[in-house]
């Protein structure tokens, strides 16, 4: 064996030793890790779920700071921008690279058809500014400011165009996210409480409580979801304020959404009731409350989190559907469903297709929650292959 072969064999042996040490280190870390650490490691390997989490975090941040992110007051009416088309951001000016800018649009009429048309004023480009001053607002009703994330000095910049009253659709979409996304979370939270409470009672105690709760669940599940939403929404008085209707729609969605989770919790409780650690805790004198909250529920927290994540888009779609059909939230409330209700007619869609842009946010949000739920569901069982 010559020197080159000896060096090659030695290098290969060293590489194998390094891989062996790394494998042993990973195995040692895996054996010492807690359940939540294992779930986190497995979740981070699911790239699509991580991206979905980032998208949802961005959407909720926009909803939380809607006054700052939206360049204009969502209820500000300007007849100069009725049905104005979306404006395009440009970075080339006279063939040279430039800072982002837009051309202001000017409203006019076609001399032949007399139809309203918008033309770009290419002689007066308006530079897009970050942290620009604009309409005054009170963030969360406390902090007064007029600084917005972006804006232009002259005219208006409407990336999603204007609606029939000249209001900025982008600003209204950002404010609509606040109601639509909040209803999803609050609705799931209430459904989670009902599902765990009633499902836990049904699965742990059995007998008469189990029979009664299961018959109630079967009754709810036998009713088509959409007609049930519509019937409960129609029952709301017309004179109720926006906060009252918001709370009522949230409760309606929760009433519909708790049944599936209760079934899952019941099955888990029935299985865990016969496990050795539960029997040992019973023999040790643990109370029913301690058995449920300290031993049984923590054993499938991860499953509950995954199921809850998959339930949020159902709540969002429920609010969007009822508001779209003018049976849920209604103007002057601003939600994605209310915005989409302006695009019910084919004529509106054919002439002003940008009215459908809020629907893209609904699609992205629902897909992101589904991808996130898939990742959490896979991560909930870190020992699976």
């Amino acid at each position: 064996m010559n020197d080159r072969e000896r060096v090659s064999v030695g290098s290969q042996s060293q590489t194998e030793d390094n891989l062996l040490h790394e494998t042993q280190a990973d195995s040692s870390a895996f054996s010492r890790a807690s359940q939540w650490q294992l779930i986190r490691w497995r979740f981070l390997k699911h790239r699509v779920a991580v991206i979905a989490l980032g998208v949802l975090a961005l959407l909720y941040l926009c909803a939380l700071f809607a006054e700052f992110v939206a360049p204009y007051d969502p209820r500000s009416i300007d007849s100069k921008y009725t049905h104005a088309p979306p404006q395009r951001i440009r970075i080339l000016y006279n063939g040279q690279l430039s800072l982002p800018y837009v051309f202001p649009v000017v409203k006019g009429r076609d001399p032949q058809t007399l139809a309203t048309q918008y033309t770009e004023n290419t002689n007066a480009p308006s530079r897009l500014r970050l942290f620009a001053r604009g309409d005054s607002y009170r963030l969360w009703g406390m902090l007064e400011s007029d600084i917005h994330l972006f804006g232009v000095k002259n005219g208006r910049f409407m990336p999603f165009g204007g609606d029939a009253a000249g209001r900025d659709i982008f600003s209204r979409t950002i404010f609509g996210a606040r109601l639509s996304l909040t209803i999803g979370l609050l609705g799931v939270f209430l459904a989670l409480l009902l599902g765990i409470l009633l499902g836990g009672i049904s699965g742990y105690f059995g007998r008469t409580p189990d029979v009664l709760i299961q018959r109630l669940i079967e009754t709810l599940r036998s009713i088509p979801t959409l007609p049930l939403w519509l019937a409960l929404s129609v029952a709301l008085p017309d004179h109720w304020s926006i906060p009252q209707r918001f709370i009522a729609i949230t409760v309606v969605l929760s009433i519909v959404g708790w049944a599936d989770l209760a079934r899952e919790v019941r099955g888990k409780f029935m299985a865990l009731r016969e496990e050795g650690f539960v029997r040992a805790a019973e023999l040790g004198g643990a109370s029913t409350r301690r058995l449920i909250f300290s031993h049984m529920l923590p054993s499938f927290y991860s499953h509950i989190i995954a199921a809850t994540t998959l339930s949020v888009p159902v709540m969002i779609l429920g609010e969007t559907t009822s508001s779209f059909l003018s049976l849920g939230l209604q103007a002057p409330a601003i939600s994605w469903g209310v915005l989409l209700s302006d695009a019910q007619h084919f004529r509106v869609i054919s002439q002003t297709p940008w009215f459908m842009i809020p629907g893209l946010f609904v699609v992205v949000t629902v897909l992101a929650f589904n991808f996130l739920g898939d990742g959490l569901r896979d991560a909930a069982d870190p020992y699976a292959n």
Side-chain angles (χ1 to χ4, degrees):
M1 182 180 294
N2 55 33
D3 294 341
R4 181 176 297 177
E5 291 176 347
R6 291 192 185 95
V7 171
S8 177
V9 172
S11 177
Q12 182 177 359
S13 177
Q14 184 177 3
T15 302
E16 292 177 352
D17 291 340
N18 291 337
L19 290 175
L20 179 61
H21 289 314
E22 291 177 1
T23 303
Q24 291 175 347
D26 291 342
S27 177
S28 177
F30 185 86
S31 62
R32 293 197 307 268
S34 65
Q35 179 80 1
W36 290 107
Q37 286 178 320
L38 295 175
I39 291 174
R40 186 179 73 249
W41 293 343
R42 190 174 179 87
F43 175 77
L44 292 176
K45 292 181 180 179
H46 200 299
R47 294 185 179 180
V48 177
V50 173
I51 294 174
L53 179 61
V55 171
L56 291 174
L58 179 62
L59 287 172
Y60 275 97
L61 282 175
C62 289
L64 183 63
F65 298 97
E67 293 87 355
F68 168 70
V69 176
Y72 307 106
D73 185 339
R75 296 180 175 85
S76 176
I77 296 175
D78 193 336
S79 59
K80 294 186 297 183
Y81 296 96
T82 55
H83 296 106
Q87 293 173 265
R88 189 175 64 177
I89 300 177
R90 305 170 187 268
I91 57 173
L92 293 177
Y93 188 71
N94 293 332
Q96 297 182 351
L97 192 64
S98 170
L99 292 173
Y101 69 94
V102 296
F103 287 128
V105 293
V106 180
K107 185 178 181 180
R109 288 194 178 275
D110 189 292
Q112 297 180 351
T113 64
L114 299 181
T116 301
Q117 65 178 9
Y118 287 88
T119 57
E120 293 182 335
N121 183 6
T122 57
N123 296 322
S126 187
R127 186 163 67 86
L128 194 62
R129 301 171 182 269
L130 290 176
F131 307 109
R133 294 189 178 276
D135 297 337
S136 299
Y137 60 87
R138 294 180 68 87
L139 185 62
W140 308 318
M142 298 182 294
L143 306 176
E144 187 171 358
S145 177
D146 62 351
I147 303 297
H148 297 265
L149 180 61
F150 63 89
V152 292
K153 186 175 182 180
N154 300 319
R156 278 196 168 198
F157 170 52
M158 295 183 171
F160 293 171
D163 65 2
R167 296 168 297 193
D168 179 34
I169 293 180
F170 176 81
S171 299
R172 291 176 64 78
T173 302
I174 296 300
F175 274 86
R178 176 172 289 178
L179 271 183
S180 296
L181 295 178
T182 303
I183 278 184
L185 288 183
L186 290 180
V188 165
F189 176 73
L190 293 178
L192 181 66
L193 292 180
L194 288 173
I196 291 178
L197 177 62
L198 297 179
I201 293 173
S202 178
Y204 185 82
F205 294 102
R207 298 183 179 180
T208 302
D210 183 33
V211 173
L212 294 176
I213 292 174
Q214 293 311 304
R215 298 298 80 77
L216 176 61
I217 291 175
E218 290 170 1
T219 302
L220 285 175
R221 289 172 60 88
S222 65
I223 303 174
T225 304
L226 182 58
L228 180 61
W229 277 334
L230 299 184
L232 293 175
S233 299
V234 169
L236 301 180
D238 294 334
H239 63 272
W240 277 13
S241 64
I242 293 176
Q244 288 175 319
R245 295 187 70 87
F246 174 83
I247 295 173
I249 292 296
T250 303
V251 173
V252 167
L253 295 174
S254 303
I255 291 174
V256 176
W258 67 269
D260 290 336
L261 181 60
R263 276 280 176 89
E264 296 180 9
V265 172
R266 172 183 179 265
K268 291 289 185 181
F269 266 77
M270 293 181 69
L272 290 173
R273 195 171 54 186
E274 306 299 328
E275 290 289 338
F277 70 93
V278 175
R279 291 297 187 187
E282 286 179 338
L283 294 174
S287 63
T288 301
R289 180 179 178 183
R290 181 174 179 81
L291 280 174
I292 293 175
F293 292 100
S294 298
H295 296 281
M296 301 178 75
L297 274 180
S299 64
F300 61 99
Y301 272 160
S302 55
H303 178 81
I304 291 177
I305 293 173
T308 301
T309 306
L310 292 172
S311 299
V312 175
V314 177
M315 299 288 180
I316 295 175
L317 286 175
E319 180 277 325
T320 302
T321 302
S322 60
S323 299
F324 175 75
L325 297 175
S326 300
L327 297 172
L329 296 173
Q330 299 178 13
I334 304 174
S335 73
W336 289 339
V338 173
L339 296 180
L340 287 174
S341 65
D342 296 334
Q344 290 186 6
H345 304 291
F346 177 77
R347 180 180 60 82
V348 175
I349 298 175
S350 62
Q351 296 180 0
T352 54
W354 52 89
F355 279 29
M356 295 293 294
I357 291 179
L360 295 178
F361 281 77
V362 176
V363 173
V364 170
T365 302
V366 170
L367 288 177
F369 268 113
N370 284 328
F371 289 141
L372 177 61
D374 288 340
L376 290 174
R377 184 173 55 196
D378 294 340
D381 188 8
Y383 299 101
N385 293 327

